[in-house]
Amino acid sequence: MKKLVILISGRGSNMEAIVRAAIPGAKIAAVIANKPTAAGLAFARAHGIEAEVVDHTAYADRDAFDNALAIAIDRHEPDLVVLAGFMRVLGDAFVRRYEGRMINIHPSLLPSFPGLHTHRKAIESGVRLHGATVHFVTPTLDCGPIIAQAAVPVGADDTEASLAAKVLVQEHVIYPQAVRWFVEGRLRVEGNRVTVIDADLPSDGWMVPLPDA
Ligand code: GRF
């Protein structure tokens, strides 16, 4: 059984998608939020998952917060740390501690649009395809080896909100899928490239839905 700790900051819909996927061989040991108001905590508790808060405002600086978070995580001895809408930048030492066993979802087709406001940036830049990326976390923000991506078309009438909603639907598909591949030991990382052994998405870790799907 592979143990997972999921980190959230708010709504937690990606965490919810991973919980609902009920991945064989995966046990969600804990959900940890950096905000006591994170809505996803209630969902986790309602599903019998240990849910706790490491409130970043209670710590003097990033290192102190990172240390407290690492202690909370390590208590569960996880095989995989899953960042699911976790909105704190983590320090290099923290990232290195979990290198190869910490993954993130980012709402853009990386390497386009790292950082915040990805949907606005996609609309402003005029791209025709936007999407989401699941990747291993490395010290450079939103830059680690890519495990899975899903693309959605950007329509002429799309707003930041409509695009976010379309992308979120795909996030909920590729994130549980990527977690499952990790749990099944099917991800091989060489440099910046991830090979999915016997991938069961249409191709090796990507999908593009039809425009009105
Ligand atoms: C998602 O779009 C995720 O990609 C981004 O923040 C959002 C979090 O949503 N980092 P949720 O908390 O998983 O519902």
Side-chain angles (χ1 to χ4, degrees):
M1 192 63 90
K2 293 272 197 301
K3 286 194 267 180
L4 274 53
V5 167
I6 306 180
L7 306 188
I8 63 169
S9 292
R11 179 177 56 186
S13 69
N14 277 291
M15 174 270 295
E16 201 175 316
I18 292 165
V19 171
R20 289 194 194 281
I23 296 162
K27 175 183 166 41
I28 298 167
V31 170
I32 302 176
N34 66 309
K35 289 182 180 178
T37 53
L41 290 167
F43 173 88
R45 290 190 183 115
H47 285 75
I49 299 164
E50 193 173 328
E52 51 195 290
V53 177
V54 181
D55 185 347
H56 66 275
T57 63
Y59 298 90
D61 54 31
R62 183 186 290 167
D63 282 351
F65 169 68
D66 284 2
N67 283 337
L69 186 59
I71 289 167
I73 292 170
D74 290 350
R75 203 164 59 76
H76 301 283
E77 300 179 338
D79 299 282
L80 179 66
V81 177
V82 179
L83 307 183
F86 187 72
M87 303 305 281
R88 299 298 297 175
V89 173
L90 297 160
D92 286 9
F94 182 96
V95 171
R96 272 195 294 272
R97 182 186 190 95
Y98 300 105
E99 201 147 8
R101 55 189 182 109
M102 180 158 67
I103 62 177
N104 181 45
I105 189 152
H106 182 75
S108 80
L109 290 174
L110 290 172
S112 291
F113 317 130
L116 297 173
H117 310 303
T118 56
H119 310 304
R120 189 194 310 163
K121 289 176 188 164
I123 290 170
E124 284 172 1
S125 71
V127 293
R128 300 304 206 255
L129 287 173
H130 183 45
T133 303
V134 179
H135 64 95
F136 282 103
V137 178
T138 55
T140 308
L141 187 70
D142 299 329
C143 214
I146 290 171
I147 301 167
Q149 292 188 303
V152 301
V154 182
D157 299 332
D158 265 317
T159 62
E160 229 178 302
S162 68
L163 202 47
K166 281 200 281 193
V167 170
L168 194 64
V169 170
Q170 299 306 319
E171 291 184 42
H172 296 165
V173 175
I174 61 171
Y175 215 1
Q177 179 70 271
V179 170
R180 190 159 68 75
W181 285 334
F182 184 95
V183 166
E184 292 172 353
R186 286 160 66 182
L187 300 179
R188 195 170 54 225
V189 187
E190 279 155 303
N192 221 24
R193 301 200 56 166
V194 179
T195 306
V196 185
I197 300 158
D198 300 328
D200 40 14
L201 277 188
S203 184
D204 215 22
W206 62 266
M207 55 190 298
V208 182
L210 295 170
D212 51 3

